[in-house]
Amino acid sequence: MKLRSLAACAFCLAALPVVVQAQQLMVNPNTGETQQQFARRTAWWRKAKFGMFIHWGIYSVPADSRHGAAEWYFSNEHMQVKDYEKFAPLFNPVDFNAAAWVKVAKDAGMKYMVITSKHHDGFCMFNTKYTNYNIVKATPFHHDPMKDLSAAARRQGLTFCFYYSIMDWHNPEYLPRRSWDVRSVGKASLDTYIHDYLEPQLRELLTNYGPIGIIWFDGGWEHTGAQLHSQEINRLIRSIQPKVMINDRDHEPQDYSTPEQTIPANALPNGRLWETCMTMNNTWGYSANDHDFKSAPDLIRKLCDIASKGGNFLLNVGPDSLGRIPQEEVDRLEAIGRWMKVNGDSIYGTTKSPWTRPQFDGRCTTKGSNLYLQVFNWPEGGLKLQGLQTHVKGVSALADGDAVRFLQVGDLLTIDKPSVIDPTATVLQVRLAGAPVVTEVLPQVQASADGSFSLSAADATLGGPGIQLESHGGIQNIGYWSDSQDQAKWLVHAETAGKYQVQIEWACDTGDAGNMAQIQAVGKSGAAHGLQVSVPDTGGWDTFATATLPGSLSLEPGENRVSLSVAGALHGALMNVRVIRLIPSPSSR
């Protein structure tokens, strides 16, 4: 799993030494920022919440995703460089209109744009001195669209940002080569590529296009951070534009994490900033044969889900070779924009929900002393929120501003159905007397009919700097288990004492196998009962297998706290875990 190595180095505030004044706490060892400085520099991004990703290049000429993502056409078809280069003279985006593109993004409610200046195929979508393999010199268009886009974005109030691929299948100095590439390696040098090509191009991007909001790296998984000179590169970037944000894909944690095509089940630990990037169909670049588009309501609900967990949503479009954003994508963005015009206050500038788990079919965001409830399907008997300690002053619907009846008894808030219902997401504003204070009751795992317990990833309480929920194949698992302090816990209620066999459904990559894990149960007596096991190689981070552990685990009557943790030193990452099953031992039945 490529992103695991990136998550493993995610920077954790808790790991830093304590200093005398909280405002002097160092947030990023590469920049030396304090917490306040980091907050000021990233304020625009945290307020924006919603951005447009743009994958555009000469791969839009073949526009083919039958054998893989369209922007990977070079790799999917095992092409030689000289053959792939033939697409450049066919790339002539005469219908490109920068102002129109920015308006589509702005009307959708997006606040920033991130565009591919160079993807893995090495073709440069900007005017660069360091190769003729660019849109100005190698295509009949002979124009730099990045100049137009950066200017149009500034005029319309959007922040302009660059994606840049570290990987480069075209540059003769980049190593490793593709296995089918017949070009001689000769004296090719990755260091030469970095110092004589990558760094000068980043300097061009940061000096020729005005203020840049983000440098969005990708394609760094073939090397270590040391091999890529990542610290040196990041210092260069910040020396040119100190306010720029940098993502985490050059093996340095930098400013924020970038889950791809997935939404974490919870906010990231320690307030780590994050942004989900996602396609509308199944490919990033334009594909003439992929019409499997997500619906607008689905995308709106994904935006609500992401905001409720404190993240940003970077939603992709893939323009065609003529410079047109596909109509299917425009239609969906227009629908999102209509919803955002009414309900944008529940997204922009918000922070995560005070509840770890939604208590209704919908999501919740926070802004100051306001809660915003984004209700997907209205529950019979009214919406109920348990655990809210703060006094409620009023509830109103964002759609029409009308007051909505409510009743607060103790920590239970019940809200009546408003007069106007949005079938995608009806948003209510709950005005509080102060910042929300919530007491959350964690779920207890109860025994099934056969007496067994199923401890799912979704029901776990997670702690530690790395660990988080993720999803493989639509099934949640506990992943990013990269620190010895990472731990998952469940509350298990047993009617009687008993011994249980432990089955665990897990996955682990070959290079990380052999770490020791421990599962332990502690009942009301305080006595601990546990097992230790070496995590095996299952064939990959997304290849799950079920194993029955040797020995048994004892539960006491009543509440038991069951934990899964690292036992001993940790090399790499521990494992991905979908579920732990506690099955009564034959002697306990």
Side-chain angles (χ1 to χ4, degrees):
M1 176 180 167
K2 292 166 184 172
L3 291 184
R4 177 159 308 279
S5 61
L6 301 175
C9 62
F11 187 71
C12 168
L13 291 179
L16 290 172
V18 176
V19 291
V20 176
Q21 294 182 337
Q23 62 265 32
Q24 295 302 313
L25 184 65
M26 304 302 278
V27 172
N28 189 313
N30 297 321
T31 64
E33 288 176 300
T34 65
Q35 199 169 23
Q36 290 178 335
Q37 289 169 335
F38 180 81
R40 282 196 298 269
R41 182 169 60 82
T42 61
W44 73 268
W45 183 88
R46 290 181 287 108
K47 182 179 180 181
K49 289 296 177 183
F50 191 28
M52 175 183 279
F53 215 178
I54 306 171
H55 277 69
W56 193 35
I58 61 173
Y59 40 79
S60 64
V61 174
D64 187 354
S65 62
R66 290 174 299 171
H67 301 139
E71 72 283 355
W72 278 64
Y73 187 81
F74 182 115
S75 176
N76 298 339
E77 304 300 324
H78 289 193
M79 297 187 73
Q80 299 304 318
V81 166
K82 62 182 178 59
D83 296 321
Y84 188 79
E85 286 177 337
K86 295 176 182 178
F87 291 128
L90 303 177
F91 184 70
N92 190 18
V94 292
D95 292 337
F96 167 70
N97 184 318
W101 280 22
V102 175
K103 187 175 187 300
V104 167
K106 184 175 183 179
D107 289 349
M110 293 163 158
K111 299 297 185 181
Y112 59 107
M113 306 175 74
V114 182
I115 187 167
T116 49
S117 62
K118 175 174 78 77
H119 204 264
H120 309 329
D121 64 353
F123 186 78
C124 298
M125 292 294 293
F126 65 104
N127 191 17
T128 174
K129 297 187 300 184
Y130 297 93
T131 179
N132 290 331
Y133 192 53
N134 69 69
I135 190 170
V136 176
K137 300 182 180 72
T139 78
F141 192 55
H142 297 307
H143 185 71
D144 185 347
M146 303 301 162
K147 285 283 189 182
D148 298 344
L149 277 172
S150 60
R154 280 194 296 276
R155 283 194 297 269
Q156 297 190 45
L158 272 67
T159 300
F160 187 67
C161 314
F162 280 123
Y163 165 111
Y164 187 91
S165 173
I166 296 168
M167 181 184 292
D168 193 314
W169 301 329
H170 180 270
N171 191 288
E173 298 291 345
Y174 180 84
L175 297 174
R177 296 277 177 82
R178 304 308 96 185
S179 60
W180 58 87
D181 191 337
V182 299
R183 294 178 298 172
S184 171
V185 171
K187 296 182 179 180
S189 163
L190 180 66
D191 282 348
T192 299
Y193 167 75
I194 291 170
H195 296 306
D196 293 353
Y197 192 75
L198 182 149
E199 288 183 351
Q201 284 201 329
L202 288 172
R203 188 178 293 276
E204 288 179 321
L205 294 172
L206 291 162
T207 55
N208 295 339
Y209 299 91
I212 302 300
I214 299 167
I215 291 293
W216 210 103
F217 282 123
D218 196 16
W221 59 79
E222 293 188 314
H223 306 93
T224 67
Q227 290 170 330
L228 295 176
H229 302 272
S230 295
Q231 291 186 4
E232 170 191 321
I233 290 168
N234 292 334
R235 283 195 296 270
L236 170 68
I237 291 169
R238 297 193 188 282
S239 72
I240 301 170
Q241 293 208 27
K243 294 182 180 180
V244 76
M245 292 183 67
I246 304 173
N247 72 347
D248 64 339
R249 295 200 176 192
D250 66 348
H251 296 284
E252 289 289 318
Q254 292 305 303
D255 295 318
Y256 65 100
S257 298
T258 52
E260 181 172 325
Q261 299 283 46
T262 188
I263 301 172
N266 289 318
L268 297 196
N270 303 297
R272 171 73 172 169
L273 301 183
W274 62 277
E275 170 192 74
T276 282
C277 56
M278 187 176 290
T279 57
M280 289 198 212
N281 53 0
N282 299 303
T283 186
W284 299 95
Y286 173 71
S287 170
N289 42 46
D290 182 358
H291 303 287
D292 182 23
F293 287 90
K294 300 173 183 70
S295 69
D298 180 33
L299 293 168
I300 291 169
R301 291 182 176 187
K302 283 179 166 59
L303 174 59
C304 295
D305 188 24
I306 290 165
S308 76
K309 298 164 185 173
N312 280 27
F313 193 18
L314 189 62
L315 184 59
N316 185 72
V317 298
D320 65 18
S321 63
L322 293 177
R324 303 171 300 188
I325 299 175
Q327 191 60 45
E328 297 99 326
E329 295 174 349
V330 173
D331 291 344
R332 283 153 178 78
L333 292 174
E334 288 177 345
I336 296 171
R338 289 191 292 271
W339 186 89
M340 289 289 280
K341 284 180 181 177
V342 175
N343 302 295
D345 280 348
S346 73
I347 301 294
Y348 301 126
T350 60
T351 55
K352 66 180 181 178
S353 169
W355 287 274
T356 303
R357 295 172 176 83
Q359 298 188 27
F360 55 92
D361 187 10
R363 297 295 183 266
C364 172
T365 57
T366 306
K367 188 189 297 180
S369 59
N370 291 312
L371 293 177
Y372 293 95
L373 311 180
Q374 300 145 339
V375 186
F376 301 159
N377 292 292
W378 199 264
E380 294 296 330
L383 188 149
K384 292 179 171 59
L385 286 176
Q386 186 78 48
L388 180 62
Q389 305 293 328
T390 313
H391 174 67
V392 176
K393 298 170 65 176
V395 179
S396 58
L398 282 191
D400 53 17
D402 286 353
V404 179
R405 289 200 311 170
F406 70 94
L407 177 65
Q408 187 178 24
V409 179
D411 68 350
L412 176 62
L413 173 65
T414 303
I415 303 174
D416 287 354
K417 187 176 182 177
S419 58
V420 178
I421 297 296
D422 187 320
T424 298
T426 303
V427 182
L428 302 180
Q429 180 182 12
V430 180
R431 299 182 302 281
L432 305 177
V437 177
V438 165
T439 300
E440 190 164 23
V441 178
L442 298 177
Q444 279 194 350
V445 180
Q446 303 291 334
S448 60
D450 64 358
S452 65
F453 297 90
S454 182
L455 282 55
S456 69
D459 285 335
T461 300
L462 306 182
I467 192 171
Q468 61 184 269
L469 278 175
E470 56 178 350
S471 178
H472 283 290
I475 302 175
Q476 290 182 339
N477 67 265
I478 303 169
Y480 293 83
W481 212 308
S482 55
D483 189 278
S484 59
Q485 301 302 310
D486 290 339
Q487 188 177 67
K489 294 181 180 179
W490 296 263
L491 293 179
V492 176
H493 183 81
E495 292 295 332
T496 60
K499 292 185 177 182
Y500 293 80
Q501 293 178 327
V502 179
Q503 281 188 354
I504 184 166
E505 188 176 351
W506 54 14
C508 185
D509 192 57
T510 304
D512 289 30
N515 284 302
M516 296 298 294
Q518 174 175 273
I519 182 167
Q520 188 176 71
V522 179
K524 289 186 176 180
S525 71
H529 311 273
L531 299 172
Q532 290 192 4
V533 62
S534 175
V535 180
D537 171 19
T538 66
W541 290 117
D542 55 358
T543 303
F544 286 83
T546 300
T548 300
L549 306 189
S552 61
L553 192 70
S554 296
L555 297 183
E556 297 180 7
E559 184 178 281
N560 294 262
R561 296 182 178 270
V562 178
S563 63
L564 184 63
S565 59
V566 181
L570 178 68
H571 65 267
L574 185 63
M575 56 186 164
N576 287 351
V577 176
R578 281 179 171 170
V579 64
I580 298 173
R581 298 180 183 90
L582 305 182
I583 303 169
S585 298
S587 60
S588 299
R589 292 173 179 165

